[in-house]
Amino acid sequence: MTSFFQSLGMSYEAAWFTATIAGILLIALPLMLAVALIIYAERKLWAAFALRRGPNVVGPFGVLQSFADGLKVFLQETIIPSASNRGLFLIAPIITFTVALMAWAVIPFADGVVLSNINVGLLYILAISSLGVYGVVIAGWASNSKYPFYSAMRAAAQMISYEVSIGFILICIVLWAGTFNVGGIVEGQRSHIFGFINAYAFNPLLFPIAIMFLISSMAETARAPFDLTEAESELVAGYQTEYSSMAFALFWLGEYANVLLMCALNAILFWGGYLPPVDWAPLYAVPGIIWFFAKILLMFFVFAWVKATVPRYRYDQLMRLGWKVFLPISLFWVFLVSGYLMFTGHFA
């Protein structure tokens, strides 16, 4: 893209800057539109699971419902509690929303279609996803109210509990792929199983950690059945209790952008990313971005399915699953995978 702007007579520096801004907008704007549509899709899915109709009034088949909700919160008054820390109270939702968008910079949508193809892309994603909890923690503390504060403490503990197991799972993938580059991990899955299946998930050694990563990504994004940070039966609305108007909407957008990011990571790390399911020439006629989006939607269906059907965990169950089940298993799997790779001469 830089060369295109240079051909228009721009200097290299101006062309690079313009290309970077254009790339950011090409990712951020469709992502925000996708968030609006995915909220509508999830409400339709929940309705189907409960034998209801879901949104069906605003626009054809109710497809404009999310935009109507967005307009409603935009026109509402932003109420800031008098006892809150005003500056932190307002910056918390901005942090959550911004961090949710930043991780998409290293996500490859197709072969070579990535904003920043850095060699440590997976480390960047892990670092950025860890920052998301700061918005929740700051919101809970700045609200100066007991329920949001309880929620903030839960969020911090929950993030630490599942980040550790996610880190060990990523180590297994990095060992097998031999790179931290996200595109390199996708390419490492080409013809991985039986010489024609493009996915790590069908590898018997990696399938268990694929399931663990899926569950951990639900916990990392505080989705049901791990939504203890906003458990309405205990904490009213958790860290969002004191928020209204666009500040509340930014939390909502950030949450769903994170959910889409985790769906994308599941697709990239275990299900072949932008590669077709099978390494068969006619399937490559379909653009890689279509395969990638199809896998994201499939993972999102699983997220919505779980939220609609699985009851919320108790807090002690959440902690036990993270520390006493996932942590030891993921740590053991690092030794298992590295031992297998060393024994088979993978590191030679």
Side-chain angles (χ1 to χ4, degrees), residues 66-115:
S66 294
F67 300 98
D69 293 338
L71 179 64
K72 180 183 74 174
V73 295
F74 179 75
L75 296 175
Q76 286 177 340
E77 179 187 1
T78 300
I79 298 172
I80 302 175
S82 58
S84 67
N85 184 313
R86 185 184 181 90
L88 292 177
F89 184 84
L90 291 175
I91 205 171
I94 297 173
I95 291 174
T96 300
F97 178 66
T98 306
V99 166
L101 296 181
M102 286 170 61
W104 288 89
V106 297
I107 298 293
F109 294 91
D111 190 12
V113 182
V114 56
L115 180 63

Side-chain angles (χ1 to χ4, degrees), residues 87-310:
L88 292 177
F89 184 84
L90 291 175
I91 205 171
I94 297 173
I95 291 174
T96 300
F97 178 66
T98 306
V99 166
L101 296 181
M102 286 170 61
W104 288 89
V106 297
I107 298 293
F109 294 91
D111 190 12
V113 182
V114 56
L115 180 63
S116 181
N117 190 27
I118 57 177
N119 287 331
V120 290
L122 206 56
L123 285 179
Y124 172 84
I125 290 172
L126 189 62
I128 291 298
S129 63
S130 302
L131 290 175
V133 75
Y134 282 101
V136 176
V137 171
I138 291 172
W141 185 85
S143 295
N144 199 18
S145 175
K146 63 178 180 179
Y147 289 133
F149 188 63
Y150 290 154
S151 173
M153 290 191 291
R154 283 185 174 190
Q158 186 168 327
M159 186 276 290
I160 293 169
S161 302
Y162 288 88
E163 272 299 324
V164 177
S165 57
I166 284 177
F168 285 131
I169 291 168
L170 295 184
I171 289 173
C172 296
I173 296 298
V174 169
L175 286 171
W176 204 288
T179 179
F180 279 100
N181 181 274
V182 183
I185 291 171
V186 173
E187 289 299 325
Q189 298 176 65
R190 194 185 293 272
S191 305
H192 179 66
I193 303 295
F194 303 129
F196 68 94
I197 297 178
N198 300 326
Y200 280 150
F202 294 104
N203 184 323
L205 260 182
L206 298 181
F207 178 74
I209 62 172
I211 300 300
M212 285 173 54
F213 186 82
L214 175 63
I215 298 171
S216 295
S217 59
M218 291 179 187
E220 182 72 10
T221 52
R223 292 277 293 182
F226 307 105
D227 55 341
L228 273 300
T229 56
E230 46 186 298
E232 73 282 347
S233 58
E234 307 161 20
L235 302 179
V236 186
Y239 60 91
Q240 304 175 20
T241 302
E242 304 292 347
Y243 281 89
S244 62
S245 186
M246 281 306 293
F248 175 79
L250 286 177
F251 275 125
W252 196 247
L253 290 171
E255 177 187 338
Y256 276 88
N258 270 326
V259 168
L260 284 177
L261 174 67
M262 284 300 173
C263 292
L265 281 180
N266 274 280
I268 286 169
L269 297 177
F270 297 101
W271 300 98
Y274 53 77
L275 298 175
V278 177
D279 193 20
W280 185 42
L283 293 180
Y284 287 95
V286 179
I289 195 168
I290 302 298
W291 289 116
F292 185 49
F293 286 163
K295 292 173 184 177
I296 289 177
L297 290 175
L298 181 62
M299 298 310 302
F300 186 80
F301 174 78
V302 174
F303 271 63
W305 187 7
V306 169
K307 184 166 184 174
T309 55
V310 181

Side-chain angles (χ1 to χ4, degrees), residues 19-36:
T20 303
I21 295 299
I24 291 170
L25 292 176
L26 280 173
I27 293 174
L29 296 179
L31 180 61
M32 286 187 275
L33 177 63
V35 166

